[in-house]
């Protein structure tokens, strides 16, 4: 169960930071967890009911914030874990939000566009009671995108009777989206890598596990910067090419064939093998719990970048740390996404929109500052980067909890 992982990470970090009892107690439970059914009239005329969730975890620092995931594996335990991580993540990157998450248990690839729209509007027709521009602000996550955000924002605006772009982020530009949001998760991770290589010797070969939004943009950014992407994977399998992939060609193959291992001349490898390849930087950009105590000892990448949420479990963390791997944890490495979501929300509130390089410059400033704050704690206290990021975040959550002290 992945929620258990969050509590193990928290326990580990608590040894290095002093928290008031109120913070410790509230971080054990979500403030609200809502599970509901979404009836959808399918194209064949039948009615199908899907299960939806929205969890608001900790709201000490502001409205809760976090994406909505569409995946067959979605369940309340996972959504709770992801909402917990969002609470920590927003505090690491120091934006005025708590953490939330939502999801639907569904394989969206099996739905027609009309069914997907009904499902997405149906989610909002239930979740509008818990979300809101100053209460809880969703965004995209695994297998959701700008189109889905647009439908949901529209549905919320219809229910409320007023145009409400600030209720959700990751929207298309035409509906109040922000320039730079679509690739922000990867750009934030890339900025972390750039800071990290100033501090240590790391070579240029890269493996990217997971070729969705975050993973594909990361492969692009690193390739453009002279790194060599030698392996990539998606849910259908992995592809290895020692001389390095040509990014544009790879994207073309992925778009056309819907799988990366159709790349001409590559060696097909399994989703397990890709993790254990010899490389300098291993980017984990798929789902949680892919590196566990079973394979952590075989990981050869020197630097590990968690663009996904929760890809390394607590037992694997200890093994990687012992093996001197430098891991940039999810709550820092992928925080660029929610950071630019915050910028989008600010722009929605002002009704005034920024240029792309302004957005990216603001993101860079945030990432550099919080990467270094985390790195300093990691060095000072001789703890791994994840625990250091927790220490940073927990201090901030604790301060807000103390200042409110309403209990
Ligand atoms: N789903 C993304 C994450 O896990 C983005 C959340 C957001 O932008 O609110 O961080």
């Amino acid at each position: 169960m992945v929620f258990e992982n969050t509590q193990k990470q928290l326990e580990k970090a608590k040894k290095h930071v002093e928290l008031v009892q109120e913070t410790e107690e509230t971080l054990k439970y979500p403030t609200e967890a809502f599970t509901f059914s979404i009836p959808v009239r399918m194209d064949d005329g039948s009615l199908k009911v899907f299960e939806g969730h929205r969890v608001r975890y900790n709201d000490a620092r502001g409205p809760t914030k976090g994406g909505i995931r569409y995946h067959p594996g979605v369940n309340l335990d996972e959504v709770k874990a992801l909402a917990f991580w969002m609470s920590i993540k927003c505090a690491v990157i120091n934006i005025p939000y708590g953490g939330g998450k939502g999801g639907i248990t569904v394989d969206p690839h099996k739905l027609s566009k009309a069914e997907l729209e009904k499902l997405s509007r149906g989610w909002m027709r239930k979740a509008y009671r818990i979300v809101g521009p100053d209460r809880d602000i969703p965004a995209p996550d695994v297998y959701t995108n700008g189109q889905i955000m647009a439908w949901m924002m529209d549905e919320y605006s219809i229910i409320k009777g007023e145009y409400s772009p600030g209720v959700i982020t990751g929207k298309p530009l035409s509906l109040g989206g922000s320039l730079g949001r679509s690739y922000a998760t990867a750009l934030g991770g890339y900025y972390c890598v750039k800071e990290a290589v100033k501090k240590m010797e790391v070579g240029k070969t890269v493996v990217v596990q997971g070729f969705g939004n975050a993973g594909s943009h990361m492969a692009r950014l690193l390739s453009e910067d002279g790194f060599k992407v030698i392996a990539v994977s998606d849910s259908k399998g992995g592809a290895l090419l020692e001389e390095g992939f040509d990014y544009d060609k790879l994207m073309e193959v992925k778009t056309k064939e819907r799988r990366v291992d159709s790349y001409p001349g590559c060696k097909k490898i399994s989703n397990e093998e890709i993790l254990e390849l010899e490389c300098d930087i291993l980017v984990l950009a798929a789902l949680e719990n892919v590196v566990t105590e079973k394979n952590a000892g075989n990981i050869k990448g020197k630097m590990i970048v968690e663009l996904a949420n929760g890809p390394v479990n607590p037992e694997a963390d200890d093994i990687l740390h012992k093996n001197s791997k430098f891991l940039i944890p999810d709550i820092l490495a992928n925080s660029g996404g929610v950071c630019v979501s915050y910028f989008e929300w600010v722009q929605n509130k002002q009704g005034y929109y920024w240029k792309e390089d302004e957005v990216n410059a603001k993101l860079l400033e945030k990432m550099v500052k919080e990467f270094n704050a985390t790195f300093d704690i990691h060095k000072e206290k001789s703890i791994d980067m994840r625990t250091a990021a927790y220490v940073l975040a927990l201090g901030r959550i604790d301060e807000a909890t103390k200042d409110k002290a309403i209990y």
Side-chain angles (χ1 to χ4, degrees):
M1 287 302 197
V2 323
F3 183 70
E4 227 179 278
N5 293 354
T6 68
Q7 299 302 299
K8 284 187 194 160
Q9 293 169 346
L10 180 60
E11 284 307 313
K12 188 170 166 191
K14 276 186 347 200
K15 296 189 190 116
H16 305 278
V17 56
E18 218 168 289
L19 303 175
V20 295
Q21 193 254 339
E22 286 86 340
T23 305
E24 292 200 10
E25 188 66 7
T26 49
L27 279 174
K28 289 183 193 156
Y29 313 98
T31 180
E32 287 181 274
F34 182 26
T35 295
F36 46 88
S37 61
I38 310 166
V40 174
R41 178 72 59 197
M42 305 299 279
D43 292 349
D44 67 3
S46 68
L47 186 85
K48 198 168 158 60
V49 172
F50 295 87
E51 187 167 82
H53 307 278
R54 185 71 191 171
V55 171
R56 301 178 63 233
Y57 204 92
N58 183 280
D59 62 350
R61 289 171 39 88
T64 46
K65 180 90 192 79
I68 304 167
R69 175 174 295 197
Y70 286 7
H71 193 274
V74 164
N75 58 67
L76 186 58
D77 175 85
E78 183 193 52
V79 178
K80 244 169 68 182
L82 292 162
F84 173 90
W85 282 323
M86 286 308 303
S87 312
I88 304 294
K89 189 187 302 181
C90 291
V92 170
I93 198 64
N94 208 3
I95 54 178
Y97 287 141
K101 202 80 174 199
I104 303 179
T105 314
V106 62
D107 181 353
H109 303 115
K110 292 196 176 133
L111 300 185
S112 70
K113 191 166 179 195
E115 290 166 342
L116 196 61
E117 175 171 356
K118 285 187 233 172
L119 180 68
S120 303
R121 288 182 181 275
W123 186 91
M124 189 52 97
R125 230 171 284 142
K126 290 285 170 80
Y128 80 93
R129 292 177 231 169
I130 178 168
V131 306
D134 290 303
R135 191 163 198 283
D136 176 40
I137 306 129
D141 195 73
V142 173
Y143 295 157
T144 53
N145 54 28
Q147 172 65 80
I148 291 170
M149 300 305 111
W151 289 325
M152 288 184 168
M153 189 277 272
D154 186 54
E155 192 64 31
Y156 185 85
S157 298
I158 292 168
I159 293 166
K160 291 287 166 179
E162 53 197 47
Y163 183 60
S164 312
V167 72
I168 206 160
T169 59
K171 301 178 295 291
L173 294 178
S174 62
L175 292 172
S178 175
L179 289 165
R181 176 62 186 89
S182 58
Y183 55 85
T185 307
L187 188 60
Y190 168 75
Y191 288 153
C192 287
V193 171
K194 294 299 275 183
E195 281 308 293
V197 298
K198 286 184 194 163
K199 300 181 189 292
M200 62 197 77
E201 279 289 308
V202 194
K204 296 269 182 194
T205 57
V206 178
V207 166
V208 180
Q209 180 251 359
F211 203 71
N213 179 277
S216 61
H217 280 296
M218 188 67 161
R220 174 179 62 80
L221 291 163
L222 290 169
S223 305
E224 283 170 1
D225 194 20
F227 288 83
K228 189 162 89 167
V229 177
I230 58 160
V232 290
S233 68
D234 55 29
S235 62
K236 302 190 179 107
L240 170 68
L241 194 69
E242 296 287 358
E243 71 247 38
F245 289 96
D246 175 273
Y247 178 77
D248 292 334
K249 206 155 114 193
L250 179 60
M251 215 40 210
E252 207 184 297
V253 169
K254 173 72 183 170
T255 313
K256 232 191 255 156
E257 317 271 334
R258 301 190 63 85
R259 53 191 303 156
V260 289
D261 63 3
S262 296
Y263 192 96
C266 78
K267 180 174 174 221
K268 284 191 179 25
I269 53 173
S270 72
N271 282 332
E272 291 74 43
E273 282 170 316
I274 189 163
L275 299 167
E276 300 180 10
L277 290 175
E278 200 72 61
C279 66
D280 297 304
I281 303 176
L282 171 62
V283 179
L284 301 173
L287 294 169
E288 53 272 9
N289 275 341
V290 293
V291 179
T292 66
E293 57 279 23
K294 292 198 190 93
N295 58 356
N298 304 332
I299 302 286
K300 296 177 196 70
K302 293 172 196 76
M303 183 186 288
I304 298 152
V305 186
E306 292 186 322
L307 276 192
N309 292 306
V312 175
N313 81 358
E315 290 72 25
D317 251 341
D318 292 339
I319 299 170
L320 295 174
H321 188 58
K322 226 183 282 147
N323 292 348
S324 307
K325 305 296 182 191
F326 184 76
L327 182 141
I328 311 179
D330 48 6
I331 47 176
L332 173 65
N334 72 32
S335 65
V338 72
C339 187
V340 176
S341 274
Y342 164 59
F343 297 157
E344 178 175 335
W345 179 80
V346 170
Q347 293 170 79
N348 292 152
K349 287 200 163 252
Q350 312 178 121
Y352 180 75
Y353 290 82
W354 309 344
K355 292 198 285 280
E356 190 166 357
D357 41 0
E358 267 177 273
V359 172
N360 291 346
K362 285 187 167 74
L363 175 64
L364 175 65
E365 196 185 313
K366 282 289 221 184
M367 296 306 309
V368 169
K369 184 152 189 255
E370 305 310 336
F371 177 91
N372 283 289
T374 304
F375 191 83
D376 291 347
I377 298 173
H378 149 74
K379 282 283 169 207
E380 242 165 64
K381 296 187 182 280
S382 297
I383 51 179
D384 60 63
M385 283 286 282
R386 187 188 318 282
T387 311
Y390 265 86
V391 167
L392 181 65
L394 290 172
R396 289 171 176 163
I397 294 172
D398 196 56
E399 204 184 325
T401 306
K402 268 193 299 212
D403 288 346
K404 278 192 202 165
I406 46 154
Y407 303 101

